[in-house]
Amino acid sequence: MQNKNRFIYKIMQKNIKDIIIYLAVAFTALFAAYVHFEKRPTLHARHTKMVNFQTLLNFRQQQKDSLLEIHESISSELRYYLRAHRIDDEGYGMIADYNAQNDNIILRLKLMNRISLINRTNLNINIPNIITHRGYWDKRGWHPGIPPLHQGMIISKSGVYRGMIDNHLQPAGHGIFKSPGRGYCEGEWEDGLQHGFGFHVRPYKDIQVGTWVKGRYKGERLHFTSERIYGIDISRYQHEIHGRNFSINWKALRITNLGRHNQQNVTGEANYPVSFIYIKATQGTTVTNQYFAADYKAARQHGYHVGAYHFYSTTSDAQEQAKHFLETASFHRDDFPPVFDVEPSDAQIEAMGGAEKLLSEMRIWLRIVERELGIRPIIYVNQSFVNKYLQDAPDLKRGYLIWIARYSEYKPDIRLCWWQLSATGRVSGITGDVDINVFNGYSDQWEEFMNTGLIP
């Protein structure tokens, strides 16, 4: 009897457990059904959501196009750099690798029909710093302090860094930084800042390749060799020195010194042929270089390709200056494009009516000369002028070839044709200092320029 009661108790105990489980399942189902019917949107609400979904699809398509445009602008800067450099130039391989990555992104975007993107103007993602406790994990667990291998990733509000880090968990050594707002940076770092060689590319901005000092971009250091293309520009100052007159020995022209800022970057001995010559023709509406005609004729007779330049004056009309230049200078087929030399001071620009007035006058001169000669002139300015004024004139900055005077060990920070790297160079056959210029590219780009960039 006692065993029978114990058996019945076990059966009841089991049934009670099953009943409890069944009740729990039933209650959950009833609650889910209640929530479903109670929270079900009305027909109007469902229709609204369908409309928003279609809007989202349109928005995503727009963002796909926007991202494609961004990467194509970056690609344009990368291609510009790679065309003007060779594989043995510092950083070439690093930039070529990133260019390949960027090309793959462009290819994928072009093949995709739909893509979910974040609007590039709304990329202020609030990512907290993930490092709340200093330490590291390994297979034995968590260890406070600094890991023995200083290779890692740092995620912060400004972006993501991958590479070498120091004992203070700051970027140090080679690394890559990616940020929606700051673009792509790769190179050497120190104390959390770019320091040493590196490059920085951003949408709709000029590529920056070269030396960084404590987070500040200085520029690209060129190594001058016999493989580069050099030239000079001359005026009356190569004939008149300290009250004495000198002639030019055209048969002896060789560049023997690049000036005091650049000799340390010369590989081997500076002894380069002169590949191009620009001669000052006019200034303003009344000044003429009295040596222009003779120098122009002699240079051409000795086999040099020649170009003429005009020095702009802020005190006279641009149209009259263009007329003076065209009537005075000489132009022949296969001459270099004419150059518009613009070097006013800030005070002179202010006196003539400001930057907008200056830029307007520049456009007038450039259009007149281009219409007359059938080729776009080259704009000659200095780096300071580019930074202050050409930023507000993209049609001039990108629509014309640029020749920049920057007397520094660093190459100008802009797309350019010629770089006037010194006013204190030396040329055998010419007495005194001479302006030395280098073409932005090597023999392949030079040949292309000579085939397509001369006066027709």
Side-chain angles (χ1 to χ4, degrees):
M1 186 67 179
Q2 186 177 2
N3 290 337
K4 183 178 179 180
N5 291 339
R6 185 180 297 116
F7 177 72
I8 293 172
Y9 172 76
K10 287 183 177 179
I11 292 174
M12 291 179 65
Q13 189 180 35
K14 181 179 180 181
N15 289 340
I16 290 172
K17 289 182 179 179
D18 291 340
I19 291 170
I20 292 173
I21 292 172
Y22 294 151
L23 288 174
V25 171
F27 176 78
T28 302
L30 288 171
F31 180 77
Y34 166 78
V35 171
H36 172 73
F37 286 104
E38 193 68 22
K39 301 296 183 179
R40 186 173 63 177
T42 64
L43 178 62
H44 174 71
R46 288 201 304 272
H47 177 70
T48 302
K49 289 188 176 182
M50 290 175 64
V51 172
N52 287 340
F53 181 71
Q54 185 60 47
T55 303
L56 179 61
L57 289 179
N58 294 336
F59 174 76
R60 287 173 175 174
Q61 184 63 38
Q62 292 172 3
Q63 298 316 300
K64 183 195 75 171
D65 297 339
S66 176
L67 189 61
L68 180 60
E69 181 181 322
I70 287 172
H71 281 281
E72 285 181 337
S73 76
I74 291 174
S75 178
S76 174
E77 285 299 307
L78 294 170
R79 288 197 304 269
Y80 157 73
Y81 173 86
L82 294 173
R83 283 186 71 256
H85 293 76
R86 287 183 172 178
I87 194 168
D88 52 349
D89 286 328
E90 186 177 15
Y92 184 94
M94 186 165 56
I95 296 171
D97 288 343
Y98 180 66
N99 181 61
Q101 297 175 35
N102 192 68
D103 285 347
N104 286 334
I105 293 173
I106 291 174
L107 180 61
R108 289 200 301 270
L109 287 173
K110 287 182 176 179
L111 293 175
M112 291 172 65
N113 291 325
R114 293 176 180 173
I115 186 168
S116 297
L117 298 173
I118 301 173
N119 191 329
R120 67 182 179 88
T121 61
N122 295 318
L123 283 172
N124 297 320
I125 304 172
N126 187 18
I127 304 175
N129 195 320
I130 64 170
I131 303 173
T132 57
H133 300 283
R134 293 193 173 189
Y136 62 98
W137 291 91
D138 62 17
K139 62 184 179 181
R140 292 175 297 176
W142 170 262
H143 303 275
I146 305 301
L149 296 177
H150 299 167
Q151 178 85 21
M153 178 174 69
I154 301 173
I155 302 177
S156 65
K157 292 181 180 180
S158 58
V160 178
Y161 171 85
R162 294 176 183 266
M164 302 302 294
I165 58 176
D166 61 19
N167 290 340
H168 302 286
L169 295 181
Q170 293 288 339
H174 187 85
I176 296 171
F177 178 79
K178 297 180 181 180
S179 167
R182 294 173 55 189
Y184 181 97
C185 309
E186 183 174 354
E188 299 301 313
W189 300 73
E190 184 177 296
D191 296 329
L193 300 172
Q194 281 189 275
H195 188 82
F197 183 84
F199 80 95
H200 185 189
V201 62
R202 296 162 292 172
Y204 315 111
K205 300 288 185 180
D206 295 328
I207 188 172
Q208 294 178 317
V209 182
T211 301
W212 301 75
V213 178
K214 296 182 178 180
R216 182 182 177 188
Y217 179 63
K218 303 294 289 184
E220 180 184 1
R221 278 194 179 101
L222 290 191
H223 295 281
F224 301 107
T225 68
S226 58
E227 294 182 325
R228 294 196 178 275
I229 293 90
Y230 304 91
I232 61 175
D233 60 276
I234 60 176
S235 64
R236 70 180 180 90
Y237 296 108
Q238 279 63 55
H239 293 278
E240 301 174 3
I241 305 173
H242 303 305
R244 298 177 58 191
N245 289 347
F246 296 89
S247 60
I248 295 176
N249 183 356
W250 295 96
K251 295 180 180 179
L253 297 189
R254 298 282 296 187
I255 297 172
T256 58
N257 188 293
L258 298 182
R260 56 177 174 267
H261 293 293
N262 301 287
Q263 281 302 111
Q264 67 270 27
N265 294 330
V266 172
T267 300
E269 181 183 1
N271 186 15
Y272 311 127
V274 176
S275 298
F276 58 91
I277 300 174
Y278 268 96
I279 307 171
K280 180 178 179 179
T282 53
Q283 178 174 333
T285 57
T286 58
V287 178
T288 299
N289 174 19
Q290 61 177 317
Y291 302 98
F292 173 82
D295 285 347
Y296 177 88
K297 181 179 180 180
R300 284 177 57 85
Q301 286 177 344
H302 286 84
Y304 292 103
H305 281 276
V306 183
Y309 75 89
H310 171 81
F311 190 94
Y312 175 69
S313 170
T314 59
T315 60
S316 54
D317 179 70
Q319 184 173 346
E320 292 300 318
Q321 293 190 55
K323 180 181 177 182
H324 178 47
F325 174 67
L326 292 169
E327 291 177 347
T328 304
S330 298
F331 309 99
H332 290 85
R333 187 175 183 275
D334 291 338
D335 277 356
F336 287 116
V339 169
F340 190 32
D341 185 346
V342 183
E343 303 181 53
S345 65
D346 292 341
Q348 289 173 326
I349 294 174
E350 187 67 25
M352 72 174 294
E356 283 301 319
K357 175 66 174 177
L358 170 64
L359 296 173
S360 176
E361 290 287 288
M362 289 177 63
R363 293 182 180 100
I364 291 172
W365 191 98
L366 292 165
R367 282 197 296 265
I368 293 173
V369 174
E370 179 180 359
R371 185 172 63 246
E372 184 67 25
L373 298 180
I375 191 168
R376 282 202 159 186
I378 296 173
I379 300 174
Y380 173 101
V381 289
N382 57 40
Q383 185 70 58
S384 176
F385 188 91
V386 170
N387 298 340
K388 288 183 179 180
Y389 304 111
L390 277 195
Q391 305 296 345
D392 298 325
D395 60 316
L396 299 180
K397 185 179 179 182
R398 288 299 179 94
Y400 291 83
L401 295 177
I402 303 294
W403 180 3
I404 284 194
R406 190 182 192 189
Y407 305 149
S408 163
E409 60 181 312
Y410 299 109
K411 182 180 175 181
D413 182 19
I414 191 177
R415 292 192 181 195
L416 74 159
C417 179
W418 320 108
W419 171 23
Q420 188 181 94
L421 52 93
S422 176
T424 57
R426 292 286 174 161
V427 178
S428 60
I430 300 179
T431 304
D433 293 338
V434 182
D435 294 341
I436 305 297
N437 304 274
V438 62
F439 175 71
N440 186 32
Y442 287 98
S443 57
D444 290 345
Q445 293 75 39
W446 177 250
E447 182 178 353
E448 179 184 347
F449 181 76
M450 295 296 288
N451 289 332
T452 63
L454 305 183
I455 293 179

